[in-house]
Amino acid sequence: MEHEEKLAVVAYVALGSNLGDRQGTILEAVRRLRRYPGVEILQVSDLVENEAVGGPEGSPMFLNGVVGVRTTLSARELLEKLLEVERSLGRRREVLWGPRKIDMDLVLYGDLVIEEEGLVVPHPRMGERRFVLGPLGEIAGDVVHPGTGTTIGEMLRELGE
């Protein structure tokens, strides 16, 4: 029987932090993600600072970025690794959109559209979030959003200033 090679997929993960050493935590999250077999870090965007969106009044400023990965993991497996990294860095899910040490969201997984319990890709709110589209556009501006057929760069321009 022949060994079947898993095909690699390019995926994009949004990262954010608004508690503690925000930059250090994001960089550590990328280092921990890199350690998983089947995950290769391709690019890391610059980190951008922005207001907390949708959370409690007075939440601290966020630092956000995006990392591109080549992976042989399924979307579900990659999501599980992201949740593992979050937990290992002290993420507690207590308040919806509340302050957090680390947040990692799978925003794109190849050209797939996935709608399963606990896993929706492309991320349903990425098109309205400059803090996701800006860093994503920096490293993947020509990538086509599989749900809209437009490039990330076009989505960013449509969002406007």
Side-chain angles (χ1 to χ4, degrees):
M1 185 189 290
E2 287 183 37
H3 173 70
E4 190 176 313
E5 185 85 15
K6 277 187 162 182
L7 291 179
V9 172
V10 175
Y12 295 92
V13 175
L15 304 109
S17 175
N18 73 338
L19 292 176
D21 175 5
R22 301 171 306 164
Q23 180 175 339
T25 301
I26 289 170
L27 295 176
E28 181 59 24
V30 172
R31 278 192 289 275
R32 290 182 187 198
L33 187 58
R34 177 182 281 129
R35 292 181 192 150
Y36 288 111
V39 177
E40 175 192 358
I41 303 297
L42 299 176
Q43 302 149 297
V44 181
S45 74
D46 290 335
L47 300 178
V48 295
E49 191 171 49
N50 58 275
E51 300 278 338
V53 174
E57 185 91 19
S59 290
M61 296 284 284
F62 264 90
L63 203 56
N64 292 94
V66 171
V67 61
V69 301
R70 180 177 295 118
T71 184
T72 55
L73 301 178
S74 70
R76 175 72 63 185
E77 290 168 330
L78 181 56
L79 175 64
E80 288 303 318
K81 300 304 181 199
L82 300 180
L83 295 172
E84 264 181 40
V85 171
E86 284 184 347
R87 283 190 298 272
S88 76
L89 289 170
R91 170 77 190 263
R92 302 287 174 263
R93 293 178 184 271
E94 295 161 349
V95 176
L96 181 64
W97 295 330
R100 47 204 172 271
K101 189 169 182 188
I102 188 68
D103 185 32
M104 302 175 77
D105 291 322
L106 180 57
V107 293
L108 291 172
Y109 183 83
D111 60 0
L112 296 183
V113 175
I114 304 168
E115 292 187 31
E116 300 174 3
E117 181 69 33
L119 175 63
V120 178
V121 178
H123 192 285
R125 290 175 299 281
M126 68 181 277
E128 57 202 52
R129 294 181 168 171
R130 178 171 298 287
F131 62 87
V132 173
L133 286 180
L136 183 58
E138 175 194 330
I139 64 172
D142 292 335
V143 168
V144 174
H145 183 291
T148 66
T150 57
T151 68
I152 300 307
E154 290 166 342
M155 289 178 72
L156 190 55
R157 284 189 292 281
E158 287 171 15
L159 197 57
E161 296 303 314

